[in-house]
Amino acid sequence: VPKVSDEHLTARREQILEGARRAFAKHGYESATVARLEEEIGLSRGAIFHYFPDKWSLFFELAVRDQTRWNTLIIERGIDDLARTIYAENPDWLGVYLELARHIRTHPELAEQLEQRMTEEELPSGKARLRELQEEGALRDDVPLDKLAEFVNVVLNGIVAQYASGTELDVESVLKLVHEGLDPRAK
Amino acid sequence: VPKVSDEHLTARREQILEGARRAFAKHGYESATVARLEEEIGLSRGAIFHYFPDKWSLFFELAVRDQTRWNTLIIERGIDDLARTIYAENPDWLGVYLELARHIRTHPELAEQLEQRMTEEELPSGKARLRELQEEGALRDDVPLDKLAEFVNVVLNGIVAQYASGTELDVESVLKLVHEGLDPRAK
């Protein structure tokens, strides 16, 4: 029996995840049936579910990737670059997050699962970066950091929601107003 | 044959719309089957679709009502009261809007249909109210009004998206930061 190399396993996982992302974006999460996943991934259900126990796990891994990428981006480059990156994503894929809002809210253990996994990834701390910015004088210090983070999250979620529903948006002018809420030097 | 009174017709339409709202909130738009609509409304499919041609029309009428109410509220009472009102809605119902994002984006004629209907409703003009506020000095005048409106929409959509997915939110502290983006007197 030939030994399946790690490289091969990694390539397979990649193929499955990227096919699943296409299937979710194209049909929506609910309507991405096993047959449609097979078609988009190009593997049988047996092969797919050998690597991932169920449809949720496929979405979960994709969400971990996005969160990791977006988290790194906002820390290294700031909210403007993250907002522009999100606005350049496929709106069909962003819509999958909106579609899953109810599912996540009614299954709080799934949100916890994601949070725990993100902790394990040992990403640079967003809060530490905010504190740095505050110390540099680039962030106001009269509002608690977690409230500033909450405001930023609301804005980013709003950009996702408008973009996914097809409303045109001038991201730059939104960002200008966001900075006036965040930055004591902006006005 | 007894004449069906207008009053009766109005009551029936109300019963149907409020039952449909419950069914959409409970099951989601996609999963609100005709059988579930019948159950929640308490009328047969024949009766329901005598008043409304299809499932979309039910959602459309409910959306017109929300938009009318929210539009009046933001004009008469301002963004703070609207944000608080949205945050007091049923998150299941708000989630229906998110769930329909893809459907609306891929059917631009539906967004147009809603916009045209809102025009017919002859609501007070949001833009005129913004201009008033600007003249009173309560809104900055160095950014075009439609950009300010866009920013407000992003924030409101963000509140909907976070709330519908179960993330806790301190609406008051978000509003404080929003005002610093909008109001020259806020800082």
Side-chain angles (χ1 to χ4, degrees):
Chain A
V1 183
K3 194 174 159 245
V4 183
S5 71
D6 280 358
E7 214 171 294
H8 175 80
L9 290 177
T10 305
R12 262 293 139 90
R13 280 179 59 93
E14 284 308 305
Q15 176 188 357
I16 292 170
L17 286 173
E18 289 317 309
R21 191 194 290 270
R22 285 194 304 276
F24 292 150
K26 197 161 160 182
H27 306 288
Y29 182 79
E30 279 303 328
S31 304
T33 56
V34 172
R36 284 169 168 167
L37 285 167
E38 286 180 317
E39 194 189 328
E40 208 61 51
I41 292 169
L43 292 172
S44 73
R45 60 195 70 198
I48 296 168
F49 296 117
H50 174 70
Y51 288 83
F52 296 92
D54 49 29
K55 188 159 100 169
W56 172 259
S57 313
L58 289 166
F59 171 76
F60 181 78
E61 279 304 316
L62 291 166
V64 167
R65 286 176 175 216
D66 281 352
Q67 300 293 317
T68 305
R69 198 158 45 89
W70 294 340
N71 187 74
T72 307
L73 196 61
I74 198 168
I75 286 172
E76 292 180 357
R77 310 281 299 273
I79 179 184
D80 296 47
D81 271 20
L82 176 55
R84 289 175 198 130
T85 300
I86 285 177
Y87 203 66
E89 298 275 354
N90 177 354
D92 281 332
W93 168 249
L94 293 180
V96 176
Y97 284 98
L98 301 180
E99 191 195 343
L100 284 169
R102 166 200 294 267
H103 188 65
I104 291 170
R105 185 169 47 75
T106 53
H107 298 79
E109 72 280 11
L110 299 178
E112 276 164 39
Q113 181 196 12
L114 186 60
E115 207 177 310
Q116 197 188 325
R117 172 67 181 277
M118 294 307 290
T119 308
E120 288 164 15
E121 294 280 321
E122 296 189 5
L123 295 169
S125 154
K127 192 142 187 186
R129 179 64 189 133
L130 285 176
R131 201 170 294 116
E132 262 177 39
L133 285 169
Q134 211 175 43
E135 281 160 10
E136 290 166 14
L139 267 186
R140 58 192 302 157
D141 57 10
D142 59 336
V143 173
L145 284 179
D146 57 342
K147 300 298 175 189
L148 296 180
E150 210 169 73
F151 173 64
V152 168
N153 279 334
V154 164
V155 170
L156 292 171
N157 273 301
I159 291 175
V160 168
Q162 289 217 188
Y163 182 42
S165 64
T167 311
E168 287 204 23
L169 199 60
D170 178 350
V171 174
E172 299 306 323
S173 82
V174 169
L175 288 170
K176 179 173 155 41
L177 296 168
V178 168
H179 283 293
E180 308 226 348
L182 293 177
D183 181 349
R185 303 171 308 194
K187 249 187 204 171
Chain B
V1 183
K3 196 175 156 242
V4 183
S5 71
D6 281 359
E7 214 171 292
H8 175 80
L9 291 176
T10 304
R12 262 292 139 92
R13 280 178 60 93
E14 284 308 305
Q15 175 188 357
I16 292 169
L17 286 174
E18 289 317 310
R21 191 194 291 270
R22 285 194 304 275
F24 292 151
K26 196 161 160 182
H27 305 288
Y29 181 80
E30 278 304 328
S31 305
T33 56
V34 172
R36 285 169 167 166
L37 285 166
E38 286 179 317
E39 194 189 328
E40 209 60 51
I41 292 169
L43 292 171
S44 73
R45 59 195 71 196
I48 297 168
F49 296 117
H50 174 70
Y51 288 84
F52 295 92
D54 49 28
K55 188 160 100 168
W56 172 259
S57 312
L58 289 166
F59 171 76
F60 181 79
E61 280 302 317
L62 291 165
V64 167
R65 286 176 175 215
D66 282 351
Q67 299 294 317
T68 304
R69 197 159 45 91
W70 293 341
N71 187 73
T72 306
L73 195 62
I74 198 169
I75 286 172
E76 291 180 357
R77 310 281 299 273
I79 178 183
D80 295 46
D81 271 19
L82 176 54
R84 289 175 198 130
T85 299
I86 285 177
Y87 203 65
E89 299 275 354
N90 177 355
D92 281 331
W93 168 248
L94 293 180
V96 176
Y97 284 99
L98 301 180
E99 190 195 342
L100 285 169
R102 167 201 292 267
H103 189 65
I104 292 170
R105 185 169 48 75
T106 53
H107 299 79
E109 71 280 9
L110 299 178
E112 276 163 39
Q113 181 196 13
L114 186 61
E115 206 178 309
Q116 197 187 325
R117 172 67 182 277
M118 293 307 291
T119 308
E120 287 165 15
E121 293 281 321
E122 296 189 6
L123 295 170
S125 155
K127 192 140 186 186
R129 178 65 188 133
L130 285 177
R131 200 169 295 116
E132 263 176 40
L133 285 170
Q134 212 175 42
E135 281 161 11
E136 290 166 15
L139 266 187
R140 58 192 303 157
D141 57 10
D142 59 335
V143 173
L145 284 179
D146 56 341
K147 301 297 175 189
L148 296 180
E150 210 169 74
F151 173 63
V152 168
N153 279 333
V154 164
V155 170
L156 292 171
N157 274 302
I159 291 175
V160 168
Q162 290 218 187
Y163 181 42
S165 64
T167 311
E168 287 204 24
L169 200 60
D170 178 350
V171 174
E172 299 305 323
S173 83
V174 169
L175 287 170
K176 178 173 156 42
L177 295 169
V178 168
H179 283 293
E180 309 227 346
L182 294 176
D183 180 349
R185 303 171 309 192
K187 250 187 206 173

